Each structure stands twice: as C-alpha cells, then as structure tokens.
Amino acid sequence: MKTNATLYILLFISFLTSAQEKTKPNKVLFEPGNISTKHVEYGATFTDDGAEMYFARSKQEWGKNDMKSSIYHSFFDGEKWSKPQIVSFSGTYDDSDPHVTSDGKTIYFISKRPSSENTISPDIWMVKRTPNNSWTEPERIPNPINSEKSEYSPCTDSEGNLYFASNRPGGYGQGDLYMVVNEGNRLKTPINLGSILNSDTGEWNLGVSADGNTLIFEASERKQNVSAYGDLYISFKKNGFWTIPQNITELNTSGSDLYPFLDKHTRQLYFTSSDSLSSGDTNIYKVAFDTILKKYQETAKVSSIREKCLTNNTFEDRYASYSPDGENILFESDRDGSWEIYTMDKNGQNMQQLTNTIPDNRRPSWHPNGKKVLFESNRNGKQALFTYDLRSGKIKRLSDKTIDGEFIFASFSPRGNTIAVSLKISEDNSHIVLLNKKGRMIKKLTNNQKRNYYPKWSIDGKEIVYFSRKDTNNGDDEIYRYTLETGLDTRLTSWHKHNFCPSWSNDNKKIVYVTSMENTRPEIYIMDVDGSNQLQVTNNNDGETLPVWHPKENKILVTAYRNGNYEICELALTNY
C-alpha cells in the first residue's frame, strides 16, 4: 500500500508538471541565425505596417564592462526578413534602444555620442525620415528631457507622448519611468510617472501600447522578482491612473528580461532575454500575448493613493498650495540661490518666478480671489508679511511695525478680510493671532507661552485648525480646532508623536495632517473634524509633509522627500 501511494503521488506530480508545461506561453527565439545570433541582440522595434524592424546589436558580452552597440535595420518582404544592416546614423558611437514612431517618420534612440552640451551620459537622440527614405543627421533632444544623468529606452504612443527611463536626481530609486506630454508637436517637461509604477529600487527599459493604456517595463530588485537582474512588469491605465504593476511570471527567467515591444496588429510581444544567468546568449524573443494580457487586465488593481511628482530637480521645492480654482500651484524654492516664490500650472508646467531678492521670501498662500499672494520675507531685516499682486507685480508690506515678534504661517480667511498667522516670540513661545487685511492686530486666539503654529481656515471661515505643544509641556505637537464664535478650543489628537501641519478638506468634513515619531519619516494622515477615524494615507521610505487639499477634487498636494531633496507631489485619493 505504501509503495502504491508513493507511485500515485509521483504520477500526480508528473501530471501537474506536464500540465503546467503545456500552459506555459510558447516563447520563440526571433529569426535565429539571422537577427538572433551568437551576438547580443536587444531592443526590437517595428514600423506600424510590420515591414521594418530596428534593434541593437553588440559583439561584446552582455553586462560586462562598457558594452558598445550599434543599431541595425531589417526588411520583411512578405516571406522572410533581410540580413540586418547597420543604419546610416549608427556604427561609430555607442547607440542602442531604438524606437520607431507609429507613423514611421521618426526614430528615437539612446547614444553616448558627443554633443554641443558636452554630455558623456547616454542621452535620447532622434532622426527624421526624409522624402527619399533616408535619415537625417541625429539630433539630441534638449534638456530637461535629457539630463546630466542617463536616459534609457525612449518610446512613444500614437499621440506622440514620449516615455523613457532615467536615473536623474529627484526620483524614487535607482531609476524611474518618465513621460513627456506631446502638446501641438511640442514635447513638454518630463513628468515622473509616480510611486505606483516607480519604487525605491530600479525601473528601466519599457514599452507602451499604441493607445497609451498599457505599460510594460523592466524592474530590478523587487521582492516579487524571479531575478534581481530584471523582470518584466505590466500596468494598465484606468480612469487616468496606472494600476499596481504585476510581475509577468510566465515570461521572466533567472536572467534579465527587458525591452518589451507590443505589436498592436499581431498582438505579439517582443522582448529581450538572457534566459538564465548560466546562459551567455542575449537575444530577441516573441510570444503570443493576448491570453497573458487578458489575465493581467482581469487581476489589475488600482491603488487607493496615486502619486504624481510635479517638480523634479536637485533643489528644494516646498510649501505648495492650489489656487482657488485649482488650476495653478504656488510654492517656494531655493533654486535661485535664495528662497523665492514661484507658480506653475496644475500639471507642473509653465513655471514662473514671482519674487527675486537676496533676502528669503517664504511660505506663500493664496488670496481667495486668486489675484494676490501672501508671503513672508525678512527683506527689511525682520520677518514680516507681504502681498504680491499677480496682475501688476506690485509688492506691499502688511505687518504692524509696533508688534513684537515675527509673523509666520499666514493665510487669508475665505472672505479675504482676515489673516490668521502665528506670531513667533521665541522658539518655544508663539501665538495664533488674527490680523485685518492691512496687517493690524484684531485678536489673539492663544496665550499659553508655548508653541502654537500653522493656523488654517475651515472652508466656511468659522473655525481654524493649528498645532500646539500647550498640553505637552512643549514636547509632542498635537492638533487643535478653534471655533471663532464661541472660543471653544478642541484637542483632536493625543498621541506620543508629533502631529502637525493640519489642513481642511474641500467639503469641510475631514482634516489632513502629518504624523511622525522623533527621527522618523513623516507620513500623511486623515481624520474626521472631531478627531475620530484617524487613517494613515502614505507609508514609504522617504516621507511627506505640508499637505493641502485640492479645492474641488479628491487630491492633496504635499512636500515629499524624494531622492535627497524636497519635491512638490500630488496625491490622488480613493476610499477616503
């Protein structure tokens, strides 16, 4: 009986293994001996009619030293592919990662060739097809699409939007995925595709579907990876946001799997694989992808929070807020050498500098009519409040010179006739006070000789939230809600943590704020206005602070610490 049971188990395992082998996709080496050879081939791209392909080939060993590649071209005559030839614009320098646009008129590629910018990192270049079917001289794509760091794997959708990977500063990890919107045949500033796709490890070579709704990319060192060297992941755009990436386990090996290209007509996925770490071959493969695609579409999940970073540089960008109509964003930055006030549109484009002085200009906020900006400056030797008129560019001082202390964290009431502000006497002594629109003192709301900071108005103007150390002997920061009509001051948080920078939701029903322990990263939380239902929104390796709710939508602007400096990021929320 024991022998029969053992035999049954072995037969059952054999049956399962056989069934699994039969269900594996039929991954086929593409054009063996012609395109896939003993050399290294990678990064296949095809014209829309399927008659031409371009790819990179190197006669050196994959992953060893500084491998040099050239871009090759092959034609399909209806029966077979021609012997690949080096294209006219390649062969001298290290060129790779070709991508031909859907109209067949442009090829983007990566090159280390010299340029007028004297860059030595891999950059995105382009060539245009001429009327006689040749190619123009290569042209380097200008900064900030390119950068001083490396760019990889450019590709486009049918709208001409450009996608690529880069290890430039300001990302989430070793390498991130970026998108450049094509607006009237003009490529705008790159946008980091956010924390749903990008991580604190590496995201690299990618491919996008023609409709721009499917993204396949290589990710390294993720916990879900088959190989630390790079696995293929897939994500779908739903309602304007990318789903949580899924590992394409059917295709990934113990080696590197990368450079995906999804043919929109044949529904074949072309990709590059080294097959396994023991294999010296790196070639181009193809696989029927419809069944795999459908599987991951059905299991795709949307995150409850989606992040989009609107700035991406090596400077500090902080203290952002939406304009009353939600179309523009106000923030401070030290990119000019001192702290200055800037605006940009809601997508992070069309940046404009408002102030330009050697003394700092800090912590801006909007007037409710959207035509003025309130900010702090020590331009007269003492921290004071000023307004900037967006129409005329005129700056006006508001502060009463007879008041001792410095004004910080100021904001206009919803009607614009009153200003709530912290009056700082010392590091451990500050008050929440009200000023009229000319800067004259109206009322002192707190008087406890402790730290009281960051007053923010409710949407109806009847209450103010702020944070204070008045009940913790200047220890922990806690959040309070002050009712102006009655003077009732209600404590909302009671943690042995720092709870700070509160702000109201656009429906006046919730408060968004920041929580952190000593020497730990700050995270964003949301609670009801009575302090109940405290929910954590973010949880990552870097941290976010200074949250401000969108005036109309379920979005929050934050100052996020990303890759060594602060950036302005937008969090789109669901289920909150």
Side-chain angles (χ1 to χ4, degrees):
M1 290 294 292
K2 184 176 181 181
T3 303
N4 289 340
T6 303
L7 179 61
Y8 174 78
I9 292 171
L10 291 173
L11 288 171
F12 182 69
I13 293 172
S14 176
F15 170 78
L16 284 179
T17 303
S18 175
Q20 288 171 351
E21 288 296 325
K22 289 180 181 179
T23 59
K24 280 187 176 181
N26 185 23
K27 183 179 75 171
V28 178
L29 187 65
F30 182 65
E31 283 289 296
N34 182 29
I35 291 172
S36 293
T37 69
K38 64 179 181 179
H39 301 302
V40 170
E41 288 90 18
Y42 62 100
T45 180
F46 296 80
T47 54
D48 201 48
D49 59 7
E52 301 175 56
M53 79 166 294
Y54 298 82
F55 66 96
R57 173 180 283 168
S58 176
K59 297 183 179 180
Q60 297 169 266
E61 191 173 351
W62 178 261
K64 297 292 179 68
N65 302 319
D66 195 11
M67 189 179 76
K68 178 185 174 183
S69 305
S70 295
I71 295 174
Y72 284 74
H73 182 208
S74 179
F75 291 94
F76 186 65
D77 63 8
E79 295 184 2
K80 64 181 185 300
W81 287 93
S82 65
K83 182 179 179 181
Q85 302 293 327
I86 297 179
V87 294
S88 61
F89 55 86
S90 188
T92 301
Y93 304 103
D94 183 15
D95 303 322
S96 63
D97 302 13
H99 169 79
V100 58
T101 56
S102 58
D103 60 10
K105 296 180 179 180
T106 304
I107 292 178
Y108 291 98
F109 66 100
I110 296 298
S111 182
K112 289 185 179 178
R113 63 185 62 207
S115 70
S116 58
E117 287 80 9
N118 295 319
T119 58
I120 57 174
S121 62
D123 284 333
I124 303 173
W125 292 68
M126 64 179 289
V127 291
K128 294 281 190 180
R129 197 187 293 269
T130 67
N132 65 1
N133 210 31
S134 61
W135 295 103
T136 60
E137 288 297 312
E139 175 185 351
R140 180 183 179 273
I141 305 299
N143 291 9
I145 297 175
N146 279 311
S147 70
E148 294 182 356
K149 293 294 185 178
S150 299
E151 281 67 50
Y152 307 92
S153 189
C155 59
T156 60
D157 58 28
S158 59
E159 298 297 319
N161 300 313
L162 175 66
Y163 304 74
F164 65 94
S166 177
N167 64 350
R168 64 185 60 196
Y172 293 87
Q174 303 163 17
D176 277 11
L177 307 182
Y178 293 82
M179 176 185 177
V180 185
V181 175
N182 179 31
E183 187 177 87
N185 293 320
R186 182 174 68 90
L187 293 174
K188 303 193 78 175
T189 302
I191 299 170
N192 187 297
L193 286 177
S195 60
I196 298 303
L197 296 178
N198 295 311
S199 69
D200 57 357
T201 55
E203 287 69 41
W204 307 103
N205 307 291
L206 70 155
V208 64
S209 61
D211 61 10
N213 291 328
T214 303
L215 195 66
I216 305 173
F217 63 94
E218 175 209 3
S220 60
E221 299 182 27
R222 292 194 177 196
K223 292 180 180 179
Q224 307 95 314
N225 273 29
V226 175
S227 167
Y229 290 87
D231 277 12
L232 292 175
Y233 284 75
I234 189 166
S235 177
F236 305 94
K237 187 176 286 185
K238 291 187 176 182
N239 299 320
F241 295 98
W242 293 105
T243 60
I244 298 171
Q246 301 174 84
N247 186 300
I248 309 177
T249 56
E250 296 89 339
L251 302 181
N252 291 315
T253 69
S254 60
S256 295
D257 299 283
L258 60 168
Y259 289 109
F261 178 88
L262 182 58
D263 190 298
K264 73 175 183 179
H265 297 299
T266 66
R267 310 305 294 171
Q268 298 274 335
L269 179 71
Y270 296 83
F271 65 101
T272 301
S273 179
S274 65
D275 266 340
S276 72
L277 296 180
S278 61
S279 171
D281 297 330
T282 301
N283 297 123
I284 296 166
Y285 292 79
K286 69 175 182 178
V287 64
F289 200 61
D290 265 348
T291 301
I292 301 173
L293 186 69
K294 183 178 179 181
K295 168 191 169 182
Y296 288 105
Q297 284 175 326
E298 291 175 348
T299 55
K301 296 180 180 179
V302 176
S303 173
S304 61
I305 179 171
R306 296 174 291 273
E307 180 182 291
K308 178 172 68 174
C309 282
L310 304 177
T311 63
N312 177 35
N313 54 65
T314 58
F315 304 105
E316 304 292 346
D317 299 323
R318 299 167 50 92
Y319 211 87
S321 60
Y322 294 103
S323 60
D325 61 5
E327 294 299 309
N328 293 283
I329 292 171
L330 184 67
F331 67 102
E332 65 178 21
S333 177
D334 68 350
R335 64 185 64 200
D336 190 44
S338 60
W339 287 99
E340 303 291 355
I341 310 300
Y342 293 79
T343 60
M344 59 185 174
D345 67 28
K346 61 183 180 182
N347 294 318
Q349 310 289 328
N350 302 316
M351 200 168 294
Q352 296 183 34
Q353 183 174 344
L354 302 186
T355 61
N356 187 12
T357 61
I358 294 176
D360 291 335
N361 301 280
R362 303 293 306 271
R363 290 179 275 271
S365 60
W366 293 91
H367 189 281
N369 65 14
K371 298 175 182 178
K372 288 183 181 179
V373 170
L374 180 65
F375 68 97
E376 309 160 21
S377 180
N378 60 357
R379 60 182 63 197
N380 294 331
K382 178 182 177 181
Q383 197 82 351
L385 297 181
F386 296 80
T387 57
Y388 179 95
D389 191 306
L390 292 168
R391 296 162 297 183
S392 66
K394 291 183 179 179
I395 294 176
K396 181 180 179 181
R397 177 172 176 156
L398 297 185
S399 303
D400 188 332
K401 298 179 181 179
T402 64
I403 299 176
D404 292 329
E406 296 184 340
F407 289 119
I408 57 175
F409 303 116
S411 61
F412 275 109
S413 66
R415 294 177 59 187
N417 60 342
T418 309
I419 297 170
V421 63
S422 295
L423 176 60
K424 180 181 176 182
I425 308 301
S426 68
E427 286 299 321
D428 292 325
N429 185 4
S430 57
H431 312 294
I432 305 298
V433 301
L434 299 182
L435 310 177
N436 67 15
K437 62 183 179 180
K438 293 184 178 180
R440 298 283 183 178
M441 177 84 78
I442 299 175
K443 186 178 182 180
K444 183 183 289 187
L445 303 185
T446 62
N447 189 19
N448 49 56
Q449 310 301 312
K450 297 293 191 296
R451 291 179 61 176
N452 301 274
Y453 278 145
Y454 204 81
K456 294 293 181 182
W457 295 88
S458 61
I459 304 305
D460 58 14
K462 295 180 179 181
E463 295 183 291
I464 288 173
V465 288
Y466 66 100
F467 69 90
S468 174
R469 295 185 176 182
K470 62 184 179 182
D471 293 326
T472 64
N473 195 29
N474 265 341
D476 298 331
D477 294 297
E478 302 294 350
I479 295 173
Y480 296 78
R481 187 180 85 241
Y482 186 96
T483 304
L484 292 169
E485 184 177 356
T486 63
L488 179 65
D489 202 13
T490 305
R491 181 172 173 176
L492 302 181
T493 60
S494 184
W495 297 30
H496 292 299
K497 295 184 177 183
H498 293 292
N499 302 280
F500 53 101
C501 296
S503 182
W504 297 81
S505 64
N506 53 30
D507 62 2
N508 230 37
K509 295 180 179 180
K510 294 185 181 295
I511 293 170
V512 59
Y513 63 103
V514 183
T515 290
S516 73
M517 299 285 284
E518 288 289 352
N519 301 317
T520 63
R521 64 182 183 271
E523 301 289 1
I524 305 300
Y525 281 69
I526 291 174
M527 62 182 168
D528 293 344
V529 294
D530 62 358
S532 62
N533 298 320
Q534 297 177 358
L535 299 174
Q536 185 171 351
V537 176
T538 62
N539 183 17
N540 55 57
N541 292 328
D542 294 320
E544 301 81 16
T545 187
L546 298 167
V548 178
W549 215 290
H550 192 284
K552 301 176 182 178
E553 301 175 25
N554 213 19
K555 297 178 180 179
I556 293 173
L557 274 183
V558 297
T559 296
Y561 194 73
R562 296 290 179 262
N563 207 28
N565 58 282
Y566 285 105
E567 304 288 354
I568 306 304
C569 298
E570 184 178 70
L571 309 180
L573 307 178
T574 59
N575 303 323
Y576 289 102

